Coordinates of all heavy atoms in Angstrom, one line a residue:
G72 N 58.5 119.5 11.8 CA 57.1 119.9 12.3 C 56.1 118.9 11.8 O 55.2 118.5 12.5
Q73 N 56.2 118.5 10.5 CA 55.2 117.5 10.0 C 55.4 116.2 10.7 O 54.4 115.6 11.0 CB 55.5 117.4 8.5 CG 54.5 116.4 7.8 CD 54.8 116.2 6.4 OE1 55.8 116.6 5.8 NE2 53.9 115.4 5.7
T74 N 56.6 115.7 10.9 CA 56.8 114.5 11.6 C 56.3 114.5 13.0 O 55.6 113.6 13.4 CB 58.3 114.1 11.6 OG1 58.7 114.0 10.2 CG2 58.6 112.8 12.3
A75 N 56.6 115.6 13.7 CA 56.1 115.7 15.1 C 54.6 115.8 15.1 O 53.9 115.2 16.0 CB 56.7 117.0 15.7
F76 N 54.0 116.5 14.2 CA 52.5 116.6 14.2 C 51.9 115.3 13.9 O 50.9 114.9 14.6 CB 52.1 117.6 13.0 CG 50.6 117.7 12.9 CD1 49.9 118.7 13.6 CD2 49.9 117.0 12.0 CE1 48.6 118.8 13.5 CE2 48.5 117.1 11.9 CZ 47.9 118.0 12.6
M77 N 52.4 114.5 13.0 CA 51.9 113.2 12.7 C 52.0 112.3 13.9 O 51.1 111.5 14.3 CB 52.5 112.6 11.5 CG 52.2 113.4 10.2 SD 50.5 113.6 9.9 CE 50.0 112.0 9.4
R78 N 53.2 112.3 14.5 CA 53.4 111.4 15.7 C 52.5 111.8 16.8 O 51.9 110.9 17.5 CB 54.9 111.6 16.2 CG 55.3 110.5 17.1 CD 56.8 110.6 17.6 NE 57.7 111.0 16.5 CZ 58.3 112.1 16.5 NH1 58.2 113.0 17.5 NH2 59.2 112.4 15.5
A79 N 52.3 113.1 17.1 CA 51.4 113.5 18.2 C 50.0 113.2 18.0 O 49.2 113.0 18.9 CB 51.6 115.0 18.4
N80 N 49.6 113.1 16.7 CA 48.2 112.8 16.4 C 47.9 111.4 15.9 O 46.8 111.1 15.4 CB 47.7 113.9 15.4 CG 47.6 115.2 15.9 OD1 46.7 115.5 16.7 ND2 48.6 116.1 15.7
D81 N 48.8 110.5 16.1 CA 48.7 109.2 15.6 C 48.8 108.1 16.7 O 49.1 107.0 16.4 CB 49.8 108.9 14.6 CG 49.7 107.7 13.7 OD1 48.5 107.2 13.6 OD2 50.7 107.1 13.3
L82 N 48.6 108.5 17.9 CA 48.8 107.6 19.1 C 48.0 106.3 19.0 O 48.5 105.2 19.0 CB 48.5 108.3 20.4 CG 49.4 109.5 20.7 CD1 49.0 110.2 21.9 CD2 50.9 109.1 20.7
D83 N 46.7 106.4 18.8 CA 45.8 105.2 18.8 C 45.4 104.8 17.3 O 44.7 103.8 17.1 CB 44.6 105.4 19.6 CG 44.9 105.4 21.1 OD1 45.9 104.7 21.5 OD2 44.3 106.2 21.8
Y84 N 45.8 105.6 16.4 CA 45.3 105.4 15.0 C 45.7 104.0 14.5 O 44.8 103.3 13.9 CB 45.8 106.5 14.1 CG 45.4 106.4 12.7 CD1 44.1 106.7 12.4 CD2 46.2 106.0 11.7 CE1 43.6 106.5 11.1 CE2 45.8 105.9 10.4 CZ 44.5 106.1 10.1 OH 44.0 106.0 8.8
R85 N 46.9 103.6 14.6 CA 47.4 102.4 14.0 C 46.6 101.2 14.7 O 46.2 100.3 14.0 CB 48.9 102.2 14.2 CG 49.7 103.1 13.4 CD 51.2 102.9 13.6 NE 51.9 103.9 12.9 CZ 52.3 103.9 11.7 NH1 52.0 102.9 10.9 NH2 53.0 104.9 11.2
R86 N 46.4 101.3 16.0 CA 45.6 100.2 16.6 C 44.2 100.2 16.1 O 43.6 99.1 15.9 CB 45.6 100.4 18.1 CG 45.2 99.2 18.9 CD 45.4 99.4 20.4 NE 46.5 100.3 20.7 CZ 46.5 101.1 21.8 NH1 45.6 101.1 22.6 NH2 47.5 101.9 21.9
S87 N 43.6 101.3 15.9 CA 42.2 101.4 15.4 C 42.1 100.9 14.0 O 41.2 100.2 13.7 CB 41.7 102.9 15.4 OG 41.7 103.4 16.7
V88 N 43.1 101.2 13.2 CA 43.1 100.7 11.8 C 43.2 99.2 11.8 O 42.5 98.5 11.0 CB 44.2 101.4 10.9 CG1 44.3 100.7 9.6 CG2 43.8 102.9 10.7
A89 N 44.1 98.6 12.6 CA 44.3 97.2 12.6 C 43.0 96.5 13.0 O 42.7 95.5 12.4 CB 45.4 96.9 13.6
S90 N 42.3 97.0 14.0 CA 41.0 96.5 14.4 C 40.0 96.5 13.3 O 39.3 95.6 13.1 CB 40.5 97.2 15.7 OG 39.3 96.7 16.1

Side-chain angles (χ1 to χ4, degrees):
Q73 180 184 9
T74 300
F76 179 86
M77 295 306 287
R78 193 177 324 112
N80 290 285
D81 192 25
L82 298 175
D83 291 325
Y84 180 72
R85 291 180 190 274
R86 195 171 335 149
S87 296
V88 169
S90 177

